[in-house]
Amino acid sequence: MEPLSIEGTPKTPTVILDAEKGKIEIKGRSIPENSIEFYKPVVDWLEKYSSEGPKKTTEVIIQLEYFNTSSSKCILDVFKKLEGVHKNDNEVVINWYYEEDDEDMLEAGEDYQSILKIPFKMIEIED
Amino acid sequence: MTPFDLQQWIDKTTQGEVFATYKGAITADLISNILNLIENKLEGMNEDLKVKKKVFNVLVESLQNLYHHIDEPPAEEELDRNFAIFILSKADGRYKISTGNFVRHDRIKMLRDRMDQINYLSRDELKSLYKLILNNEEFSDKGGGGLGMIDIARKAGNKLNYNFYPYNEKYSFFSLDVIVSDF
């Protein structure tokens, strides 16, 4: 399966989806006005990854500095696809990074964690 | 009752230390420019990271709320089609984000109900409502279910301070002030 890589902009994150390595990375800012448009290829890729036989272990790195409410639903869609991967007896861990003292970003991660049936690891980035 | 005077509202709202004001059409590019400008300003001010992030988050949601949900302004004012006002100021050491735009009377009740509900809820209740809407409701690319407003209240840690000023038989001016707590 072809990897998908999207370069970040001031309003959209860097995305690296690599089926060979079983690695999913979303980093940077996610504050576009139209998030559905941005996340569509990401969600489609994950749908394919999930159905075409994912790696035994998928490592997910979410390291967002900011995200808007328009993105929040799309990020949940991303996680729901990964939940599907997890359900089929594969190991999936979501590593949720937040900057030191950024309690809002930690809480946002915990909000997702409480909605989803998938392991989360909260990781503080120290200065 | 005296008719609503836009300039008077602006004068009243731009008191204290003002970092940015904008009056005109709200476009995606404009939002990018404002965010960039304000981020640079906050960067240079040695502000607490937590406060900076909260201000930036509230700014994004406020501006994008305007971008997605704005009504056309009354023709008499000869304003841009997506006309809105945005002001970032600081008073008593706390940041205030003010926005203003014209709304049709028929939208006031929905907006008022939504903001009253948000203001009535505790921090934990807001968190539950946010998660409920996030997880259960179908919503469009415009966001929806009032997630933006809930997020603003959660991040700011304060009530939404709003007003509707009657303008003419069809429109009111809707102002919203959000003060970002520095807890």
Side-chain angles (χ1 to χ4, degrees):
Chain A
M1 198 181 158
E2 284 290 305
L4 175 69
S5 142
I6 304 169
E7 211 177 309
T9 73
K11 274 186 178 169
T12 55
T14 298
V15 178
I16 299 166
L17 309 175
D18 190 329
E20 289 301 309
K21 292 184 183 147
K23 204 163 182 182
I24 314 291
E25 276 186 52
I26 302 179
K27 287 183 173 177
R29 295 174 174 204
S30 186
I31 53 169
E33 278 75 27
N34 300 305
S35 303
I36 292 177
E37 190 183 293
F38 177 79
Y39 280 95
K40 190 173 186 306
V42 179
V43 173
D44 288 350
W45 190 96
L46 287 167
E47 170 69 39
K48 209 169 157 213
Y49 177 70
S50 176
S51 61
E52 285 187 2
K55 284 268 155 186
K56 230 33 235 141
T57 303
T58 303
E59 189 192 7
V60 185
I61 294 168
I62 309 289
Q63 191 173 334
L64 292 169
E65 196 187 351
Y66 295 107
F67 68 92
N68 59 0
T69 50
S70 163
S71 299
S72 63
K73 173 78 175 163
C74 298
I75 295 169
L76 182 66
D77 289 343
V78 165
F79 288 153
K80 288 206 161 155
K81 293 288 169 220
L82 291 163
E83 201 176 37
V85 175
H86 179 67
K87 245 181 225 160
N88 294 328
D89 276 342
N90 297 295
E91 194 185 324
V92 182
V93 177
I94 295 175
N95 296 289
W96 181 273
Y97 287 83
Y98 63 98
E99 277 182 87
E100 194 177 355
D101 288 339
D102 190 355
E103 287 153 19
D104 287 333
M105 192 54 80
L106 170 62
E107 194 174 353
E110 289 169 349
D111 286 351
Y112 283 117
Q113 187 177 23
S114 72
I115 292 173
L116 296 150
K117 289 185 185 66
I118 188 168
F120 270 71
K121 213 162 115 188
M122 304 298 173
I123 303 167
E124 184 176 307
I125 312 162
E126 281 167 45
D127 281 340
Chain B
M1 190 178 61
T2 49
F4 174 70
D5 184 332
L6 186 60
Q7 192 51 51
Q8 212 179 338
W9 181 86
I10 295 173
D11 292 344
K12 196 186 78 189
T13 311
T14 46
Q15 283 169 3
E17 195 182 348
V18 175
F19 295 100
T21 57
Y22 176 79
K23 203 170 84 168
I26 301 284
T27 62
D29 282 345
L30 173 92
I31 293 175
S32 301
N33 291 339
I34 290 181
L35 291 175
N36 188 16
L37 176 100
I38 289 172
E39 196 173 19
N40 286 337
K41 273 197 182 177
L42 290 172
E43 207 59 57
M45 280 168 48
N46 220 351
E47 191 58 79
D48 184 48
L49 175 90
K50 218 157 88 177
V51 173
K52 256 194 297 206
K53 285 203 154 187
K54 281 180 183 292
V55 170
F56 191 84
N57 267 310
V58 174
L59 271 177
V60 170
E61 291 303 327
S62 303
L63 293 170
Q64 292 185 340
N65 248 344
L66 291 172
Y67 175 82
H68 288 303
H69 301 292
I70 217 155
D71 284 338
E72 269 185 52
E76 303 91 291
E77 290 277 351
E78 292 180 3
L79 300 168
D80 292 318
R81 218 172 66 82
N82 295 315
F83 176 85
I85 300 173
F86 151 78
I87 298 157
L88 173 67
S89 59
K90 196 176 183 181
D92 305 324
R94 295 198 298 175
Y95 288 91
K96 185 171 84 175
I97 290 126
S98 307
T99 54
N101 58 293
F102 288 96
V103 295
R104 291 189 314 270
H105 292 320
D106 57 15
R107 280 186 61 211
I108 293 177
K109 188 179 180 310
M110 182 272 288
L111 285 166
R112 195 185 281 280
D113 286 351
R114 183 174 286 175
M115 290 184 288
D116 285 347
Q117 184 198 21
I118 291 170
N119 285 344
Y120 179 75
L121 296 177
S122 68
R123 206 183 127 72
D124 285 346
E125 288 166 335
L126 273 181
K127 184 184 174 81
S128 301
L129 180 64
Y130 180 92
K131 286 197 285 187
L132 185 77
I133 294 171
L134 176 65
N135 197 25
N136 290 334
E137 231 164 274
E138 286 295 314
F139 59 88
S140 69
D141 212 11
K142 288 189 168 188
L147 218 47
M149 289 274 197
I150 298 171
D151 192 58
I152 288 171
R154 284 182 80 190
K155 297 267 163 63
N158 268 312
K159 304 289 174 209
L160 306 170
N161 192 355
Y162 68 85
N163 258 306
F164 292 97
Y165 303 93
Y167 175 79
N168 63 16
E169 68 288 342
K170 203 175 159 198
Y171 287 97
S172 284
F173 184 78
F174 165 37
S175 75
L176 178 63
D177 285 345
V178 180
I179 292 170
V180 176
S181 289
D182 49 358
F183 51 84

